């Protein structure tokens, strides 16, 4: 793996290449864009190139392209996740922090102690192996005002040998003063055809690949992740088909039982996510699974609204017969209002509202609003 292998972010990478080739790399960057579109991967491969002792100089589209060699001792250390000059900062580092006396190992926000100990205190340390140091901060939007203010001074005058990259999916949560000290690189959505072909290459059925590419709105990382959510007992794609069918057929007396069923699916998805992300906290994984359930419901009702207004581009192509059978009986105004309601409950997930209450409330709203007449 190297920079040239990242096929889906040509614009962002060619922008970084212009700086690399002219040896005018900025000292601080914000890589912004939705989750799962290659921000971390690009930051990692850029870091490997910056740290490489013998970078390869090639050309792409008749422009110079600098890449890691993959062979020098720096590249080998990097590949083995042991490069002393590469620092990845993420909120779960709190469990290793010597400064934090908090017993929380799965914080919601990025703790200030983590930013202080793993970035601010280390930034002036000279490189050990290479001529540079690189710091990559994941989910930088989760830094609170204290952490961001603490970081400002570092961003004002970082040592010349150091590059700091803030990865961010919600740029409006970073202070304007942070933005003004960093160069912005925007990452765009990945072409759906590319996602489908990658998923199919990995053994995913085409119908399923099409769904995940549409469901994640062009996030390659999230699509690859979703396609992995299956084992002998549980198949996430089949679960989503059942979930949609059951929502459409739901009647008031079954509401609480159905909310229990959804909670069980949240547990199933969280357990599989935990196998993919051993570093991520359980509460974060559960929130991710809860958001997935609500987003599946949103995808179904958005599709129904599209079909009922004559648009045939839908996400749930695998269930088009089912959806079409409801287009005559749907109340579009009520359905649109319900999608809005789903978005509100999505925000509740982020605010750690009790999971069961959240689903019960959402489903009770649904059965009492006559969306399907
Ligand atoms: Zn190298």
């Amino acid at each position: 793996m190297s920079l040239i292998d990242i096929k889906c972010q040509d614009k962002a990478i060619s922008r970084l290449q212009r700086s690399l080739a002219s040896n005018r790399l900025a000292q601080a960057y914000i890589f912004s864009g939705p989750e799962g579109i290659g921000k971390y991967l690009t930051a990692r491969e850029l870091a490997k190139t910056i740290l490489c002792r013998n970078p390869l100089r090639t050309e792409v589209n008749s422009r110079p392209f600098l890449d890691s060699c993959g062979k020098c001792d720096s590249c080998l250390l990097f590949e083995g996740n042991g490069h002393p000059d590469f620092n990845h900062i993420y909120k779960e580092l709190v469990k290793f922090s010597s400064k934090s006396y908090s017993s929380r190992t799965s914080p919601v926000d990025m703790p200030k102690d983590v930013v202080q100990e793993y970035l601010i205190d280390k930034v002036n340390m000279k490189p050990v192996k290479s001529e540079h140091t690189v710091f990559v901060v994941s989910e930088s939007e989760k830094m609170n005002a204290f952490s961001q203010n603490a970081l400002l001074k570092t961003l004002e005058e970082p040592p010349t040998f150091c590059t700091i990259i803030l990865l961010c999916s919600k740029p409006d949560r970073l202070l304007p003063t942070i933005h003004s000290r960093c160069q912005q690189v925007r990452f765009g959505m990945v072409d759906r055809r590319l996602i489908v072909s990658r998923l199919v290459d990995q053994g995913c059925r085409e119908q399923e690949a099409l769904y995940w590419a549409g469901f994640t709105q062009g996030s390659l990382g999230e699509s690859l992740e979703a396609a992995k959510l299956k084992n002998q007992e549980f198949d996430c794609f089949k679960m989503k088909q059942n979930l949609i069918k059951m929502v459409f057929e739901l009647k008031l007396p079954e509401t609480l039982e159905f909310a229990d069923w959804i909670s069980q699916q949240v547990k199933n998805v969280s357990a599989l996510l935990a196998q993919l992300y051993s570093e991520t906290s359980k509460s974060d994984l559960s929130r991710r699974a809860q958001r997935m359930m609500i987003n599946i419901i949103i995808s179904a009702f958005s599709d129904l609204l599209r079909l009922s207004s004559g648009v045939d581009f839908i996400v749930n192509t695998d269930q088009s017969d089912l959806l079409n059978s409801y287009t005559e009986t749907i109340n579009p105004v009520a359905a649109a209002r319900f999608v809005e309601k789903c978005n509100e409950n999505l925000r509740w997930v982020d605010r750690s509202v009790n999971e069961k209450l959240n689903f019960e409330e959402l489903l009770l709203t649904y059965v009492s609003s006559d969306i399907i007449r």
Side-chain angles (χ1 to χ4, degrees), residues 52-54 68-72 75:
C52 176
R53 292 189 172 279
N54 198 12
S68 55
C69 75
K71 293 177 190 152
C72 69
C75 284

